[in-house]
Structures are given as C-alpha cells and as structure tokens.
C-alpha cells in the first residue's frame, strides 16, 4: 500500500449521499497527492456501500438506505472522478479483501461476517464472490431469529441485527455506560473485563451462531472470518458462536468450519475494493 486516507463522517452517512461522495473524491485526491500522483495514473476505483447492490449497480434494498435509493453510487462517483468505478456491498468487499490478502487466504469456501453498526456477510464459494440474483446474498443481519419480534428497518420482524447488531448493543450498553461513544469503545470495555459489555457480546455471539447455523448447513464453508468493529472481540465471541452453531447446524458441518478473527481489521473492505477494481472477484484464485 502506497497511500491511505480515511475519515469519520461528520453527518450520518446513511442520510447524506451527496456529502459522502464529495468526501470520497476529496480523500482520493489527497491520497494521490500524498504520493505525487494524480487521477491520470489510476487504473480503477472500488466503492463499498453498506446495502445490497444489484448487478446493474443500483441499491438492491432501498429500505436499508432510503436516502441513497434513487442513486447509482458507482455511476455517480465515476461521473465526479471521471474514472472507472466498480461498486459492491461492503461485506462482500470485506470477504474479498480477507480472501485475497487476509484471514481467508487459500480458503475457497468462506463466509466473512461484518459485525459493525449493522451485520452483513460476504460469501466466497469455489473461490468466487457469490452475490445472488439481486445482490442480497449474505444479508445475515436480516435473517429472522424471532418471527414475532420487533419490526426491523428492513420491514421484517425479529432480525439478527436487532439482537446482535452494533446499534442494538450500544443502546443496551449505554443504559449502564452512558459515556460510550462507539462500538470500538464498547469492545475495548469488554476486552478490559467490563462484565456488562462482556455479557452483551457473549449473548450476541450465541445469536449470531444460531443464525449462521442455517448458512453453515446450506453452503458448508471451511472458514468463518469475523470482521468489523466487533470482530476485535473474536476471542470473546468464538465460544458462544460455536455453541449457537452447534444448536442449529449439522455436527459434520460444524466440525468442518473454523471460526477465526479477520486480519485486515478496518481495511478489509477498502482492500476488497482494490481487488474489485483489479477484477480479482471474477477469477478464482489458486489456493495459496
Ligand atoms: Zn431486518
């Protein structure tokens, strides 16, 4: 890596596509200037969006990102940069990044789980990213755990995200720790031994395992890679997650799968974007 720039958005990014895309352009230009380069030397751009993306680059599930619903983010960024842009769901890019450069190297059948504000998964099958007919493959956060549960932002009830997503965990944790600013802080409290934060993460692990069990039964992956901010609590999540898996997946499938922590931390999706821009997702890689 020659140069990298990132910034936390001042406004809630979900609601302000125009500002977010303008910021992306600014960061790209700054990253290029930092190595005395400019846009003329750019081979391609990869863009990650936290919602399903259809084959033609539209937002596949407008309910999850209403302010972006009428936009084709890849085309819009391409217009602003005058460069070729490829776009995909951010969990798919996380899967691709970990598969090419991280904890998924050499593993042709893997599930990357992005545990962040929301929950998403990226699926690599036979060495290729699997997106599905409408781009919604791997929408683990919207698997139903409780068909009579609370209504989720996707419109269904009792989704995994309501029980184990970062938004839910933070709002529960703030009842006893009103000072918590974000998910990273919640994880560091838990890793430092705070009993309430540990409890929340352990329970989330069990719920995730239960939900992942269906996926493990259906596609029989070799590895599950835990990423996103909550992936930093993988040591705490692993055991309850395995227990949840054990309750819902077949024993042979559970024995065949390793649960590991992501290696690329916050850069998995960005590096997946690089792989996407280079066209790596279309060609199976030889096992490393
Ligand atoms: Zn949902």
């Amino acid at each position: 890596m020659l140069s990298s720039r990132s910034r936390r958005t001042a406004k809630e990014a979900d609601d302000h596509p125009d500002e977010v895309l303008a910021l992306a352009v600014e960061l790209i230009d700054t990253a290029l200037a930092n190595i005395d380069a400019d846009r003329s030397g750019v081979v391609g751009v990869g863009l990650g969006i936290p919602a399903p993306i259809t084959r033609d680059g539209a937002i596949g599930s407008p309910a999850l990102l209403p302010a972006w619903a009428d936009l084709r983010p890849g085309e819009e960024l391409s217009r602003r940069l005058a460069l070729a842009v490829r776009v995909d769901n951010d969990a798919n890019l996380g899967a691709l990044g970990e598969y090419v450069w991280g904890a998924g190297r050499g593993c042709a059948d893997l599930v990357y789980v992005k545990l962040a504000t929301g929950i998403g998964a990226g699926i690599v099958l036979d060495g290729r990213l699997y997106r599905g007919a409408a781009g919604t493959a791997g929408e683990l956060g919207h698997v139903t755990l409780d068909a009579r549960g609370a209504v989720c932002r996707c419109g269904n009830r009792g989704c995994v995200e309501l029980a184990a997503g970062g938004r839910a965990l933070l709002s529960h944790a703030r009842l006893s720790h009103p000072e918590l600013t974000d998910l990273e802080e919640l994880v560091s409290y838990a890793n430092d031994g705070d009993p309430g934060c540990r409890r929340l993460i352990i329970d989330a692990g069990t719920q995730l395992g239960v939900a992942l069990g269906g996926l493990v039964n259906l596609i029989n992956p070799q590895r599950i890679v835990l990423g996103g901010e909550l992936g930093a609590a993988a040591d705490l999540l692993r055991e309850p997650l395995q227990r949840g898996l054990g309750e819902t997946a077949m024993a042979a499938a559970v024995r065949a799968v390793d649960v590991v922590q992501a290696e690329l931390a916050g850069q998995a999706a960005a590096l997946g974007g690089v792989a996407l821009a280079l066209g790596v997702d279309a060609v199976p890689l030889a096992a490393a």
Side-chain angles (χ1 to χ4, degrees):
M1 191 181 305
L2 300 175
S3 180
S4 148
R5 282 286 177 281
S6 65
R7 195 175 315 156
R8 208 175 274 268
T9 49
K11 292 179 186 173
E12 190 68 45
D14 290 6
D15 301 328
H16 299 91
D18 193 55
E19 287 90 335
V20 171
L21 289 167
L23 176 61
V25 170
E26 185 193 321
L27 293 177
I28 287 168
D29 284 336
T30 322
L32 287 167
N34 195 42
I35 48 165
D36 293 324
D38 59 35
R39 293 184 202 172
S40 67
V42 174
V43 173
V45 178
L47 172 65
I49 299 285
I53 300 292
T54 64
R55 283 169 203 237
D56 59 354
I59 305 287
S61 180
L64 294 182
L65 219 49
W68 293 68
D70 297 328
L71 209 74
R72 283 175 197 270
E75 281 176 21
E76 182 57 29
L77 186 62
S78 176
R79 192 183 61 74
R80 295 183 187 211
L81 286 168
L83 289 169
V85 174
R86 289 194 66 196
V87 58
D88 208 330
N89 168 263
D90 62 349
N92 286 357
L93 293 185
L96 194 57
E98 292 287 344
Y99 173 54
V100 178
W101 287 296
R105 278 191 312 276
C107 178
D109 297 297
L110 75 89
V111 176
Y112 168 84
V113 186
K114 188 200 78 171
L115 302 165
T117 319
I119 294 176
I123 300 170
V124 172
L125 290 180
D126 260 346
R128 284 178 204 225
L129 198 54
Y130 179 77
R131 298 180 171 91
T136 71
E139 280 298 317
L140 181 69
H142 301 285
V143 167
T144 302
L145 281 176
D146 176 4
R148 298 181 178 208
V151 173
C152 175
R153 63 195 178 106
C154 74
N156 292 336
R157 284 187 184 274
C159 292
V160 173
E161 200 169 281
L162 296 175
R167 267 187 212 95
L169 298 189
L170 260 182
S171 77
H172 286 303
R174 279 177 180 146
L175 296 176
S176 51
H177 299 297
E179 74 282 8
L180 277 174
T181 53
D182 56 22
L183 206 50
E184 279 172 11
E185 200 172 22
L186 191 157
V187 169
S188 77
Y189 273 41
N191 285 339
D192 290 344
D194 180 87
C197 293
R198 287 176 69 85
R199 180 81 262 154
L200 282 168
I201 290 177
I202 288 168
D203 290 350
T206 309
Q207 306 273 37
L208 277 169
V210 166
L212 273 167
L215 189 63
V216 164
N217 264 349
L218 292 174
I219 68 168
N220 191 196
Q222 188 185 345
R223 205 170 293 167
I224 293 172
V225 180
L226 302 177
E229 285 96 329
L230 218 59
D235 286 344
L236 207 50
L237 281 167
R238 198 175 290 116
E239 196 193 311
L241 195 151
Q242 296 271 20
R243 207 180 316 122
L245 273 183
E247 288 173 16
T248 51
M250 293 189 305
V254 176
R255 274 195 303 273
V257 67
D258 284 331
V259 180
V260 303
Q261 184 168 1
E263 286 177 8
L264 306 176
Q267 291 193 315
L271 287 168
V274 173
L276 185 74
L278 295 173
V280 172
D281 61 312
V283 199
L285 290 184

